[in-house]
Amino acid sequence: MKLEFLKYSASYNYLVNNINQVTADNYFNEIEKVQVITALEEYRATVNLFFNYLGKMIAKSENNRYAQEIEDAKGEVSLQIQQVTEALDDLSGTLDETFANNMIDKIERASIEANLSSLSFQKEEVDSQYQRIILKASMQDTSLTERKDLDEKYNAFITAYTNITNEVMRILNKEELVTDEDKASMDSLYNIAREAIKAYTTSANSALIYISENEAKAINDSLAKDIESLKTRVDN
């Protein structure tokens, strides 16, 4: 970039020097006129090249910035989903101990309730993340394919979470022993929840990529207009 700026600066200085030389004696002859016009045309050409180069460099910088932002956001999604999965696994492990002896003692009940609380907290983190995504300007249109897919996958995750919570509470409130049917029901809900989590993760990442690309495009389009405006001012 330094080299391109030096070329631009040299062209500007050349133009100024020519104008100063020509105006020094307050008299214009045809040769001097041609000399100034030539210097001006060279300056215009150099300015256009410099603006084009500058625009590309700024656009590249913006694209890199958005690329980093998208990777950070995807990392956040990955971390939160991992935490949901771990909370789900903890609940599953605790319930497996309960199913092994077909009854729930006070210690197991307390542990299950703690696992449910942890799962609820992680679910709320996903809720917050989902809200941050859909509040982005490029995701406001609910008919957008990426938005519709994200809403669908998020709702499926919420449904899976609600079903697990309700089933665990049903088992906790049972007066009779827990059964193999109860375990089978929970195993089925776990599998559904894990698939819902995977699907939501994929959809959230796709939405983030869409947001990043649209924001970068908006910046690049704005820069292109600004540069074109500057070129017009130079040409005129």
Side-chain angles (χ1 to χ4, degrees):
M1 186 170 184
K2 182 178 179 181
L3 177 61
E4 299 299 325
F5 176 75
L6 289 175
K7 290 179 181 179
Y8 163 76
S9 181
S11 179
Y12 172 78
N13 290 334
Y14 178 70
L15 174 63
V16 171
N17 288 336
N18 268 278
I19 293 175
N20 287 338
Q21 289 174 12
V22 168
T23 58
D25 56 3
N26 295 319
Y27 175 76
F28 265 105
N29 59 43
E30 286 303 315
I31 294 176
E32 290 174 331
K33 182 179 178 181
V34 171
Q35 182 178 332
V36 171
I37 291 174
T38 301
L40 182 58
E41 290 304 317
E42 289 178 358
Y43 175 67
R44 282 175 173 166
T46 302
V47 167
N48 284 337
L49 288 173
F50 180 66
F51 282 165
N52 285 334
Y53 174 80
L54 188 61
K56 290 177 181 179
M57 290 300 99
I58 294 175
K60 182 178 180 180
S61 175
E62 288 296 323
N63 288 339
N64 289 340
R65 179 170 70 85
Y66 279 111
Q68 184 58 53
E69 287 182 0
I70 199 66
E71 287 305 313
D72 291 343
K74 287 167 68 176
E76 181 183 347
V77 170
S78 178
L79 176 60
Q80 290 174 350
I81 293 303
Q82 178 185 346
Q83 291 170 341
V84 170
T85 302
E86 289 174 353
L88 195 63
D89 290 343
D90 289 342
L91 177 62
S92 175
T94 303
L95 280 172
D96 280 347
E97 295 176 7
T98 296
F99 291 131
N101 54 28
N102 297 109
M103 59 183 298
I104 304 174
D105 59 31
K106 290 183 179 180
I107 295 177
E108 288 173 335
R109 179 178 292 274
S111 182
I112 291 170
E113 290 173 347
N115 291 150
L116 274 180
S117 178
S118 176
L119 181 59
S120 175
F121 174 78
Q122 299 304 335
K123 177 260 181 188
E124 290 173 2
E125 290 293 300
V126 174
D127 291 343
S128 297
Q129 173 201 92
Y130 166 76
Q131 289 297 324
R132 289 196 297 275
I133 294 175
I134 65 172
L135 287 175
K136 292 289 188 179
S138 54
M139 291 294 286
Q140 294 292 299
D141 183 1
T142 56
S143 66
L144 187 72
T145 299
E146 288 79 5
R147 172 64 189 272
K148 288 169 67 176
D149 186 69
L150 181 65
D151 290 344
E152 177 187 330
K153 300 304 189 297
Y154 170 76
N155 290 331
F157 164 71
I158 296 302
T159 298
Y161 164 81
T162 301
N163 289 341
I164 282 179
T165 301
N166 290 341
E167 184 66 2
V168 171
M169 293 307 299
R170 183 191 71 79
I171 291 173
L172 285 177
N173 292 327
K174 283 186 69 173
E175 295 182 358
E176 65 271 19
L177 296 177
V178 294
T179 65
D180 290 341
E181 286 75 15
D182 293 325
K183 184 179 188 312
S185 175
M186 285 304 307
D187 287 343
S188 175
L189 291 176
Y190 286 139
N191 290 333
I192 292 172
R194 289 189 175 96
E195 288 303 313
I197 288 170
K198 289 179 183 178
Y200 172 76
T201 302
T202 300
S203 184
N205 285 337
S206 295
L208 289 169
I209 292 171
Y210 176 81
I211 292 168
S212 174
E213 290 177 346
N214 272 266
E215 291 183 350
K217 183 179 183 300
I219 290 291
N220 290 342
D221 289 347
S222 177
L223 286 171
K225 289 180 181 179
D226 290 344
I227 289 171
E228 196 59 37
S229 176
L230 287 170
K231 286 181 182 178
T232 301
R233 290 169 62 185
V234 170
D235 289 340
N236 293 333

